[in-house]
Structure formats: structure tokens, C-alpha cells
Amino acid sequence: MLTPSQVIVLATPVFFGLIAIEWWISLRRGRNAYALADAISSLNLGVLSQTSAVFTKLLTLGIYTAIASHAALWSNDAFWLSLPGWLLALVFYDFCYYWLHRMGHEVGALWAAHAVHHQSQAYNLSTALRQTSSGALLGWIFYLPMALAGVPPLVFAVVGLIDLLYQFWVHTEQVKKLGWFDRWFCSPSNHRVHHAVNDRYLDRNYGGIFIFWDRLFGTFKEEDEREPCVYGTRGLLNSWDPLWANTTVYRQLAHDSWHARNWADKIRIWLKPPGWRPADVVQRFPKPDFDLDAHRTLFAPAMSQRLRWFASLQFVALVTGTSVFLWNADQSPLANNLIWFGVLLTSQWALGAVMQARIGAWMALMLQSGALATATAALGWQEWHWLFKPATMVFAIFYVAKCAEFKKESVQKHAKSAKHWLLAALALSMLGDVFLMLDGLFIPGLVSFLLAHLCYITLFKQDAPWFANRSAMVVIGFIALTMYGYLWQGGLPAELRIPVLAYVGVIATMAAQAWGCYRVQPNHGTLLVALGASFFMLSDSILAINRFVQPLPWSAIWVLSSYYLAQTLIVQGSLKKRESTSSNEEAGSTSTGMASPSGLT
């Protein structure tokens, strides 16, 4: 029997086929219903909701099954598996869904999860697939009446899937009012009202399949063609980041709860309707009033034609990988699922970031290749690991090499020098990666990374005097000496004590110098570099402990993920830092700079 995840995989071509038809119809009618970045962002969030559900369904179905098995007030599987039982279960599910959906708009903590579905300013079939990844954490509570009524888990899962799939088609502006159908069922017209932020439409029409719940409980509102619906949330997301989309409302609630002076208010913030804030929080952290006209301005960062092609191909690859993951997830070990989920999540974040011009296309490829290198190492896929590990540094080198030089001659000489040191560090890192993959070449690998760190030190020295942050130097020195002592006592071979000591000294110097740069030039770029240097120390410490003291569980994951995070932060931070200082120089400052990430944008 197919699992729900496999059903979603089989339904995916149907979803995309209907999206294509809707797009074609909208073009024929003279109004394109789709913007590429918005559609990809919505679909990206749909992918994340399905991949994360591989883990959260253990909570939802597990609790439901336990209650249905041990606390049901009426057990009669024969009835529930009959045609009347199936129909009643579907109506029962939709009734529970109505209250979950309604409370998702009336309780802050539940809105934090549900808001993801409403964040798009477009209303089309891609919006239907834009789903939360955290809704299952509390959503299961609303279906407990079905478990207590003895609805078997199989019936519950199937009618839930039917209810979910039904709601796909109502997310469109291409279908107008449907007469009698609108009076009984959730329809495109009824659901457009639900997604609107206009005052007259706000928080209405919660039914999933049936709209008569709203008529019965006083939450129904008919669409008025004289007042077109304006979509989104009050407080626009303005981002393609899938992680930010899922966490932004939680962050807002946590912020207000933290700053509320009254302890009761700290709790009320999570239980009151969205937008409720204690008076003292409003006074200290005011927000502008909602402006419907301003809300009509769409968030749409510019994308070149090349970037649009890149994002499209990336999304096709992401959907393909997700389909394979979902098809096999229920038969795969939890550890494997977690590893591949990490790869997919990294790819999704990188896709959103590159569409928003937060990173370049080569950086996106670097992140994705690094995630694949980490996964293939952890799973023992040696041949693929040999491909992705050096490829990651190749992408990093291309990223830096493709950065646009500034025209001002007084900046270029220093910029080229810094760029060359950064490229040298990445090339030596790539060489070290290759050596460490091969047996018997640990020392050449160590030397390569030693030289790479020396290049990084030279790069950082251009922006700050030696050890400008004495406090950081003392802390880092203490950590380095402690780690070296631990390795010595743990069994570090005698012939490696001097080389490892030299290596520890160099990487500690690199980290201390990076934090010195941050003290001299405290900005986002230098902070990223300092954090990257610190993660380099962490990665090398884990590698050394695993190699010389004792094997660590999931060592490849911890070593490589921290290593690639370190390289990413240093590269991105160096380019941001140089971009900032170059801009200052061109504006008349005495600072100097290097480059601006261009990627394919």
C-alpha cells in the first residue's frame, strides 16, 4: 500500500500540470498569474513541509494511534471502513479542520505556524502548496475527538489526505463564482476571501471542503466583486527564505513576550489573537498601522534572465531529489533521512538566497556541493564523495574569481591583493581536501591546510594590526592549548606532536586575527569572517579527536559540516567586508576594498 508521502509524489505531476494550465489561461486572459520567484518560493515551502512531515508524522500519527487504540470511547472498525463510515469520517475530519483552521487565525502560537500559507502576495495554485512545517506540533490536538470516537488511524490518514488534496484547486483567481456550489462547499471565491487582508474579509471562511461550517458558526463572508481581494499577511514577509518564513512570527512573539513587563502578558502574547501586544511593548516597540494601499506593492527583487534559468534548473533538481527522498523515506533509517533532509534544506535555503541576491549562484552551488560531500561521506558513498568534496572548493574559487572589481584605481591594487590571498587559501584548502581523502597523505594534507591558514592570516592582517582584540587572543589561546594538551594525553603520535602543535598555533593565530579585524571594523562582514575562523577551529578539533583520541559518532557530519560552514562564512564575510569598505572608499573614506559578489545576478 502506498504511503501518504508516496501519494504526494504521484500527485506532484498533476499539481504541476494544473499549475501550467492555470498559467496558460491567465496569459490568454492578459494577466500573468505567476511571478517566477514567488512561485518557486511557495513551492519551496511546500517541499519543506513535506520533507519535514517525514519526522513530524511520528508525533501526529503516533499520538493519534495510541489514543485510538487505548482510549477510544467506541470501537467499531467495521462501521468506519464501510461507505457511510468513510463519508462520516470525512465530514468529521473537516469539522475538526474547521476549528484548527479558525484557531490558527485566533491564537498567536497557532498563527505562527499557519501564517506561512498566507505570506504570498499572489493567489494561484502554487500558493496552495505553500504549507507550514511546524503546524503538526500543536495541530494534532484538534483531531483527538476522532481518535476518541474510534476512527481507525488508516481512515483518519486517508480522509485527511483527501481533505488536503481537495483544497488545492480552490487557490485560483481563474475560476469565478459557482452559484449553488459556493453555498455549500469551499470554492475559489470563498477561499479568496479567506486569503484576503481587506478589513471586510479578514479572518473569514475557514472550511476545508465544506463552507457550511462558516455559515453555521458565523464566520462566512461572500466575495464582493466591487472590492477585489488583496493577498498576503498584515506585516509582509518580503523574503524568499524558507527558514525565515517558518520562524518569523515565532520570533515576533518571542520578542514581545521577552520584553513584556507583566508575567501574565508574557503568556497572553502566545494565546491572544495575532497582532495583540501589551501596552508597554507597543510603547517601546511601535509598529506602523496597516496600510492596504501600501500592501498592494509586490515584493519582487530583480532577477536577470540568466538567474531565472539558474533558479528554474535548481528547482527542478530540488523537486527530483525531494521525490526520491519522499518515495523511500518510510523504508529508510531515521539517520539516513536526517542526513538527506539536511541536504535538501541546505539546497532550499541557497535557492531562496540566490533569488534574493543575498548570495551569488556560485556560492549556492558551493553550499549544495558541500552538503552533498558531507552526506556522501557519512553514508560511505566514496565515489560520490570524491566528486563533491573537491568540487565544493572549486565552486568557492569560481565565486571569488567572478566577483566584480571596483573601478576606482586607489581601491583596485589592495582589492586584487586581498582577492589573490583568498583564492590561494581556497586552492590550498582544495588540495588539502584531496590529500585527506587519500590513504597515507595525512601530512601533505596537514601542510596544505597549514599554508591555507597562513594565507587567511595574511588576508586578515591587511585590515587590522596584529591581535587587535587581546581578550579574544587570550580566550582562543587558552582553548588551543587545552585542545593540544587533550590530544597529547589522548594518544597523539610522537612524530606528529610538533606538526600538530604548529598547526594549532597557526589556526589559533588565524582565529585571533579574525576577531581582531572585527574589533577594528565591526560590521556584518568581519563578524562572518570571525565566526568562520572559529568554526574552522571547531572542525579541526573534532577531526583531531576522532583521529587521535577516540572515534566519534557521526564524525563525518560534524567535521565536514563545520568545515564547510567555516569556509562559507569566511568567503561570504570577506566579500561583504570588502564591498563595504570599497563603498566607503569610493564615497571618500580612507578604507579600502575588494569586490562585490555578482554570481549570475
Side-chain angles (χ1 to χ4, degrees):
M1 181 177 179
L2 294 175
T3 66
S5 295
Q6 290 174 332
V7 172
I8 294 296
V9 172
L10 293 177
T12 297
V14 179
F15 292 152
F16 283 111
L18 292 173
I19 286 172
I21 292 172
E22 182 192 29
W23 175 63
W24 178 76
I25 291 173
S26 71
L27 291 179
R28 289 289 300 271
R29 291 177 174 176
R31 183 186 174 190
N32 188 354
Y34 285 87
L36 180 66
D38 177 84
I40 288 179
S41 178
S42 290
L43 296 170
N44 207 10
L45 283 159
V47 167
L48 181 55
S49 73
Q50 290 301 315
T51 55
S52 61
V54 168
F55 310 100
T56 57
K57 71 182 179 183
L58 298 174
L59 170 70
T60 55
L61 281 178
I63 293 176
Y64 184 93
T65 301
I67 294 176
S69 301
H70 301 99
L73 302 178
W74 183 57
S75 297
N76 191 340
D77 287 2
F79 168 75
W80 291 114
L81 291 170
S82 67
L83 179 59
W86 280 100
L87 293 175
L88 179 59
L90 182 61
V91 175
F92 197 172
Y93 184 96
D94 201 61
F95 173 76
C96 295
Y97 174 81
Y98 168 85
W99 287 105
L100 167 61
H101 200 179
R102 179 170 174 174
M103 291 302 103
H105 285 252
E106 297 182 2
V107 177
L110 297 176
W111 171 249
H114 183 59
V116 175
H117 182 59
H118 285 262
Q119 289 163 344
S120 175
Q121 292 177 272
Y123 190 78
N124 51 50
L125 293 179
S126 72
T127 310
L129 301 179
R130 184 187 185 101
Q131 297 291 331
T132 177
S133 297
S134 62
L137 298 178
L138 295 173
W140 59 270
I141 297 172
F142 291 85
Y143 298 104
L144 291 184
M146 295 185 69
L148 293 173
V151 180
L154 173 63
V155 175
F156 169 74
V158 171
V159 297
L161 190 59
I162 293 172
D163 202 281
L164 177 66
L165 293 175
Y166 172 89
Q167 294 178 55
F168 173 75
W169 80 281
V170 302
H171 292 81
T172 182
E173 292 186 302
Q174 306 310 312
V175 178
K176 304 306 179 182
K177 291 190 175 183
L178 298 176
W180 68 268
F181 190 88
D182 293 338
R183 292 193 292 273
W184 293 94
F185 296 95
C186 178
S187 65
S189 175
N190 291 332
H191 206 62
R192 285 193 289 269
V193 168
H194 175 72
H195 274 258
V197 293
N198 314 53
D199 286 336
R200 69 182 300 168
Y201 296 144
L202 195 65
D203 298 334
R204 299 286 182 168
N205 298 3
Y206 298 113
I209 294 179
F210 306 107
I211 203 66
F212 53 68
W213 304 123
D214 293 279
R215 295 181 181 275
L216 181 63
F217 297 112
T219 54
F220 177 77
K221 191 70 177 180
E222 186 175 1
E223 182 181 23
D224 188 342
E225 295 179 357
R226 294 171 298 181
E227 184 172 350
C229 296
V230 179
Y231 306 108
T233 54
R234 293 194 168 191
L236 292 173
L237 178 66
N238 288 341
S239 175
W240 306 137
D241 185 339
L243 296 179
W244 180 244
N246 274 284
T247 58
T248 180
V249 180
Y250 289 108
R251 186 202 66 82
Q252 293 168 5
L253 293 173
H255 173 273
D256 288 352
S257 180
W258 176 264
H259 289 283
R261 294 191 176 97
N262 185 290
W263 279 97
D265 285 342
K266 292 178 180 292
I267 298 173
R268 287 193 192 100
I269 286 169
W270 299 89
L271 303 177
K272 285 284 190 176
W276 183 88
R277 307 175 77 204
D280 60 307
V281 175
V282 171
Q283 184 178 9
R284 283 184 290 161
F285 304 98
K287 292 183 178 180
D289 294 333
F290 174 70
D291 185 344
L292 185 64
D293 289 331
H295 198 93
R296 298 176 195 274
T297 302
L298 301 182
F299 175 73
M303 293 176 64
S304 68
Q305 191 65 27
R306 294 176 67 190
L307 180 56
R308 292 168 68 87
W309 275 106
F310 177 82
S312 299
L313 293 174
Q314 283 272 299
F315 183 70
V316 170
L318 176 64
V319 171
T320 303
T322 300
S323 298
V324 174
F325 172 77
L326 291 176
W327 190 264
N328 296 286
D330 291 318
Q331 293 80 38
S332 298
L334 177 61
N336 288 23
N337 283 340
L338 287 170
I339 290 170
W340 288 118
F341 175 75
V343 172
L344 292 170
L345 184 60
T346 301
S347 300
Q348 290 179 275
W349 183 90
L351 176 56
V354 77
M355 289 195 303
Q356 204 170 328
R358 295 171 62 189
I359 62 174
W362 290 110
M363 174 59 79
L365 292 172
M366 174 190 175
L367 289 169
Q368 293 161 352
S369 180
L372 287 167
T374 303
T376 51
L379 296 172
W381 296 10
Q382 191 175 49
E383 292 80 4
W384 288 104
H385 180 64
W386 286 350
L387 169 65
F388 289 117
K389 193 174 185 183
T392 304
M393 288 298 101
V394 170
F395 289 136
I397 291 169
F398 271 104
Y399 182 50
V400 175
K402 286 289 184 179
C403 289
E405 296 286 359
F406 286 94
K407 296 180 180 180
K408 191 174 177 67
E409 291 185 6
S410 61
V411 180
Q412 281 187 351
K413 183 177 181 180
H414 183 82
K416 288 181 178 179
S417 173
K419 184 175 181 179
H420 291 158
W421 284 114
L422 181 57
L423 287 171
L426 294 172
L428 288 165
S429 295
M430 181 181 67
L431 189 62
D433 286 339
V434 174
F435 284 145
L436 291 182
M437 287 192 297
L438 304 176
D439 293 333
L441 295 179
F442 178 76
I443 293 299
L446 190 69
V447 172
S448 297
F449 276 111
L450 185 69
L451 294 174
H453 295 322
L454 289 173
C455 291
Y456 277 132
I457 291 172
T458 305
L459 173 64
F460 303 157
K461 179 63 179 63
Q462 294 184 350
D463 298 302
W466 285 110
F467 309 124
N469 191 334
R470 299 300 174 85
S471 298
M473 181 184 69
V474 171
V475 172
I476 291 170
F478 175 78
I479 293 173
L481 290 175
T482 301
M483 177 55 62
Y484 183 73
Y486 179 68
L487 294 176
W488 182 297
Q489 294 296 323
L492 183 66
E495 65 274 15
L496 291 179
R497 289 173 182 172
I498 298 300
V500 170
L501 177 61
Y503 187 90
V504 169
V506 169
I507 196 170
T509 302
M510 180 188 74
Q513 188 61 24
W515 282 105
C517 289
Y518 177 64
R519 181 167 186 175
V520 172
Q521 301 178 27
N523 57 53
H524 184 56
T526 54
L527 177 60
L528 291 180
V529 169
L531 291 173
S534 301
F535 273 106
F536 238 131
M537 287 189 66
L538 175 63
S539 178
D540 286 334
S541 298
I542 298 172
L543 175 65
I545 292 171
N546 183 70
R547 188 178 185 91
F548 300 121
V549 180
Q550 62 179 1
L552 298 174
W554 289 27
S555 59
I557 295 289
W558 310 127
V559 171
L560 290 176
S561 60
S562 54
Y563 166 65
Y564 288 126
L565 180 58
Q567 294 281 26
T568 300
L569 290 172
I570 291 175
V571 169
Q572 190 70 3
S574 295
L575 298 181
K576 280 184 173 293
K577 176 180 63 176
R578 301 298 171 180
E579 179 183 4
S580 174
T581 54
S582 295
S583 298
N584 291 338
E585 176 73 15
E586 291 177 336
S589 169
T590 57
S591 301
T592 57
M594 184 179 76
S596 172
S598 60
L600 294 177
T601 59

